[in-house]
Amino acid sequence: MQYQISGIHIDVGDALQMHVKGELNDTISKYAERPTDAQIIFSKSGHEFVCDAIIHLSTGLTAQAKASKAEIYAAFDACAEKMEKQPVSYTHLTLPT
């Protein structure tokens, strides 16, 4: 999977990038066998950090979430939690054959 982890007027360090990659692998691997790419963008809005995440899955679905918290790691964790709930709803949607 290709990762694009960036920040708008924020320096995204190696530790945060490793945290994002590890959490995304754990979260997405539960529901999608082959996610193709992930775009994670961190920004700051007032006193809060904002995390926007978009993940394209091999099934053609796109999962996206946005969360904001006072700390940057907490913002990503809240975003990942929202994203973890999305593919569950898609796994129950099966078309009759």
Side-chain angles (χ1 to χ4, degrees), residues 3-5 12 16 21 23 30-33 37 45 63-64 69-70 74 78 80 86 90-91:
Y3 296 94
Q4 181 180 356
I5 304 168
V12 179
L16 180 59
K21 289 177 184 179
E23 290 293 320
K30 295 177 188 176
Y31 306 108
E33 292 180 14
D37 64 286
S45 176
Q64 67 183 57
K69 296 283 181 180
Q86 288 181 8
Y90 292 121
T91 58

Side-chain angles (χ1 to χ4, degrees), residues 69-85:
K69 296 283 181 180
E71 295 183 7
I72 197 164
Y73 283 88
F76 171 74
D77 291 340
C79 190
E81 185 178 325
K82 287 181 180 181
M83 196 167 300
E84 187 174 339
K85 294 177 183 177

Side-chain angles (χ1 to χ4, degrees), residues 42 47-51 67-78:
F42 293 98
H47 296 292
E48 292 189 327
F49 290 97
V50 179
C51 176
S68 60
K69 296 283 181 180
E71 295 183 7
I72 197 164
Y73 283 88
F76 171 74
D77 291 340

